[in-house]
Amino acid sequence: MRGDAAFDAVVVGAGFGGLYALHRLSGLGLDAVCLEAGDGVGGTWYWNRYPGARVDIESMQYSYSFDEELQQDWTWPEHFSPQPDLEAYANHVADRFGLRERIRFGTRVNRLGFDAQTSRWHLAAEDGFAATAKYVIAATGSLHAHNVPDVPGLGSFGGTWHHTSRWPAEGVDLTGKRVGLIGTGSTGIQIAPVAAESAEHLTVFQRTPAFSVPAVHRALDAAYEQEWKARYAERRATMRANPSAVFPTVPRFGSVFDHSPEARQEILERAWSARNGLLFLQAFTDTMVDPAANEVVAEFIRGKIRRIVRDPDVAELLCPKTYPVGTKRICMDTGYYETFNRDNVTLVDVRTHPITRITESGLQTTNAAYDLDVIVFATGFDGVTGSFTAMNVTGLNGLDLREKWADGPTSYLGLLVAGFPNLFMVHGPGSPGVLAQMITGGEWQVDWITRFIDHMEAEGHQRVDTTTEWERRWGAEVDGAADHTLYKRADSWYMGANIPGKPRVFMIYVGGFDRYVRRCTEQVDAGYEGFVFDGTARTAP
């Protein structure tokens, strides 16, 4: 691969984690470049342009903390930011810190191989670009490798189809169209009310109903914004010490069973109408660990659905009954359940009557045919691991990452994989990832990685690795944390259950972001325990 561009470090992905990694690496004086598959920055908020796309964390929290002037200068128009505002923020950060000139856009990495003789990674991209680097930081995103189901006949469809995470930048005109929406996770729940407003008819194909709570979208109150800006330092510290990496805005009331049924109802009603819908699950301390407590909360939400949706049969189809609330990502919506009161909206239960094929004129299930002009796949992602394995990564002795992870992903601290030296992951499997606030979590991980790299450079180390034994230990800790919760009781994408053939392994550390920070820090403080420097099983000085 002679003639490849040579760098000290390559960052893969220009989302929020990748942008910050590029900024920090440059601050270390390293020659770093970011390779981005898209034509712009923002990661998730570049690719997901579908109507209704919006973050489910408060804007004042879902933002960078590393620069005080940035925190004070930037103004969010809404309490929960829509996609255009988040993409604009990412572009502002890229320009403000001079990052754009070090990003190579339209460069999708499709080969990544480690050369043990030189301790360098060789990267190749679909557009022909090739590079070498001592370090690679994979900030490829937990939700980037989109999943289009293998439905027979898709190529014969006479209309147009789109996956929500590859929505055309120019938009899609649904006015007067017969629209079929496949998927009712968080994306489907966001797009459905918007699509129903303009479509002639919207048919929603639901396999598994989702629990959703109201988002309470609104303009950001100026006084609220100023209060946050005046107290950012202490609130960011609180967020970093929180299990979910958020600032709690909903009180906690102990166990569900500390309260009478009437008191529980009152607490849940207040939480339902609170300023942050996702914190609804944290009103009680035992919702995610006690099945009986969880069922109290789940039935409260089902009661809301039954009161909102006028057709009792449709309401029951929309009520989740096969998994505990919160074990699949709880959604936030703007009038989702109300959408099914519209005359131009139909709900189809494809668990009872599965989709058999796409036809030239629409879609066929086992009991009916549906004529459609547009099909929207809100079918999610090959989550957590898909964006890593898509790069065709090979490590020491030609070990393929897909083979390494054939029985489920392994890692040490969610940061390194044994046999793949100097390859650091942001939001990798075994980290808190999507179950902690991702900008705060990503910032912390990038800071840890860049401090680690700075140490390596100061000590003259050429490479760092870990061992399968330390992966096993960390995997046991990840698994043990999940076993203390209800998460494994759902066939979720956290378990890889949405991808045919993917091993069922719980991939996320749910011991709490605060504990994760302590564990990563402890391993370094203990003499870099678990890390292997320069190919020998020894700790750094």
Side-chain angles (χ1 to χ4, degrees):
M1 301 180 80
R2 292 179 192 172
D4 295 354
F7 299 94
D8 296 322
V10 169
V11 178
V12 184
F16 285 117
L19 289 176
Y20 184 53
L22 182 61
H23 174 67
R24 290 283 281 116
L25 288 167
S26 300
L28 295 180
L30 297 179
D31 183 15
V33 67
C34 178
L35 306 182
E36 166 55 46
D39 294 325
V41 300
T44 290
W45 305 109
Y46 168 85
W47 294 105
N48 288 270
R49 296 185 171 118
Y50 61 86
R54 187 182 291 269
V55 74
D56 53 10
I57 301 292
E58 292 186 17
S59 302
M60 298 306 296
Q61 301 195 41
Y62 193 75
S63 55
Y64 287 118
S65 66
F66 70 89
D67 186 89
E68 180 61 20
E69 289 186 2
L70 173 65
Q71 289 194 128
Q72 296 298 324
D73 292 348
W74 184 263
T75 295
W76 296 102
E78 296 185 59
H79 199 80
F80 295 99
S81 292
Q83 180 273 333
D85 290 345
L86 292 159
E87 187 179 6
Y89 178 64
N91 276 281
H92 173 78
V93 170
D95 292 333
R96 184 180 185 120
F97 296 98
L99 303 178
R100 196 177 300 277
E101 55 266 30
R102 283 169 283 164
I103 303 172
R104 196 175 195 279
F105 294 105
T107 306
R108 182 178 295 278
V109 175
N110 64 357
R111 190 154 51 91
L112 184 57
F114 188 73
D115 183 344
Q117 299 217 334
T118 61
S119 294
R120 294 294 185 274
W121 283 98
H122 290 257
L123 302 93
E126 289 179 358
D127 67 349
F129 178 78
T132 64
K134 181 176 179 179
Y135 305 106
V136 174
I137 298 180
T140 49
S142 299
L143 299 175
H144 175 72
H146 65 297
N147 172 43
V148 178
D150 186 17
V151 184
L154 182 57
S156 69
F157 182 50
T160 61
W161 68 269
H162 305 276
H163 191 283
T164 48
S165 76
R166 296 297 182 270
W167 203 258
E170 65 276 13
V172 179
D173 186 4
L174 302 178
T175 305
K177 303 289 180 63
R178 297 166 300 177
V179 179
L181 173 62
I182 302 174
T184 54
S186 58
T187 298
I189 279 175
Q190 287 187 333
I191 196 173
V194 183
E197 290 177 358
S198 58
E200 175 188 311
H201 197 91
L202 173 67
T203 305
V204 178
F205 297 92
Q206 172 190 272
R207 183 178 62 179
T208 306
F211 287 100
S212 187
V213 298
V216 197
H217 295 315
R218 56 200 176 278
L220 186 63
D221 180 73
Y224 185 80
E225 178 187 14
Q226 288 309 309
E227 180 196 20
W228 261 87
K229 289 184 174 181
R231 303 179 64 184
Y232 249 140
E234 63 182 272
R235 290 190 172 177
R236 295 291 194 189
T238 300
M239 291 165 65
R240 287 188 286 270
N242 181 274
S244 301
V246 296
F247 185 81
T249 57
V250 173
R252 306 201 79 178
F253 294 92
S255 168
V256 166
F257 301 110
D258 289 342
H259 307 275
S260 68
E262 295 77 17
R264 287 178 210 156
Q265 188 76 10
E266 182 181 344
I267 290 167
L268 288 169
E269 286 287 356
R270 291 208 304 269
W272 181 264
S273 304
R275 296 179 67 86
N276 191 328
L278 282 181
L279 291 176
F280 174 84
L281 285 178
Q282 297 183 13
F284 296 113
T285 55
D286 49 358
T287 301
M288 294 306 300
V289 296
D290 181 348
N294 187 281
E295 179 58 21
V296 170
V297 178
E299 187 57 26
F300 174 85
I301 299 177
R302 294 186 200 113
K304 288 289 187 181
I305 297 169
R306 292 170 183 134
R307 284 191 287 276
I308 293 169
V309 180
R310 291 194 290 265
D311 186 320
D313 293 331
V314 173
E316 286 306 309
L317 283 177
L318 290 166
C319 286
K321 299 170 185 174
T322 59
Y323 61 93
V325 60
T327 55
K328 293 188 175 189
R329 188 171 182 88
I330 193 167
C331 303
M332 289 174 57
D333 71 88
T334 302
Y336 175 67
Y337 296 119
E338 290 85 350
T339 298
F340 294 95
N341 292 329
R342 298 176 63 107
D343 293 335
N344 70 328
V345 176
T346 300
L347 179 66
V348 176
D349 176 17
V350 296
R351 184 171 294 279
T352 304
H353 299 291
I355 297 169
T356 57
R357 66 180 296 102
I358 306 293
T359 66
E360 182 178 355
S361 60
L363 184 153
Q364 177 77 48
T365 69
T366 55
N367 77 326
Y370 299 88
D371 290 335
L372 303 169
D373 302 307
V374 180
I375 297 175
V376 176
F377 288 97
T379 46
F381 305 87
D382 182 356
V384 184
T385 59
S387 60
F388 296 113
T389 56
M391 292 189 292
N392 300 302
V393 186
T394 54
L396 293 172
N397 302 314
L399 178 61
D400 190 306
L401 184 62
R402 288 167 295 198
E403 294 177 11
K404 167 85 175 179
W405 286 353
D407 295 324
T410 59
S411 75
Y412 181 45
L413 302 173
L415 296 164
L416 284 171
V417 180
F420 297 82
N422 293 9
L423 173 62
F424 297 94
M425 301 181 295
V426 180
H427 299 310
S431 77
V434 296
L435 290 178
Q437 200 266 88
M438 293 190 75
I439 294 185
T440 296
E443 267 190 310
W444 189 89
Q445 284 190 308
V446 167
D447 283 339
W448 188 97
I449 291 167
T450 50
R451 282 195 301 268
F452 199 102
I453 289 174
D454 192 37
H455 169 81
M456 287 184 65
E457 292 297 293
E459 296 293 327
H461 295 299
Q462 290 305 301
R463 61 184 179 183
V464 65
D465 202 345
T466 188
T467 68
T468 55
E469 171 59 19
W470 282 99
E471 285 184 318
R472 186 198 63 76
R473 293 187 191 189
W474 183 245
E477 189 162 339
V478 171
D479 214 41
D483 285 341
H484 283 91
T485 72
L486 304 177
Y487 278 104
K488 290 185 178 180
R489 299 192 180 199
D491 287 333
S492 68
W493 60 261
Y494 305 151
M495 294 280 292
N498 63 319
I499 303 297
K502 190 169 181 175
R504 301 291 182 91
V505 176
F506 195 77
M507 297 182 285
I508 302 169
Y509 180 71
V510 294
F513 176 75
D514 52 340
R515 177 166 173 77
Y516 175 76
V517 166
R518 290 196 301 272
R519 294 292 288 114
C520 293
T521 303
E522 287 168 0
Q523 299 307 91
V524 170
D525 291 345
Y528 292 83
E529 193 174 28
F531 301 101
V532 178
F533 292 85
D534 298 328
T536 60
R538 63 184 182 84
T539 58

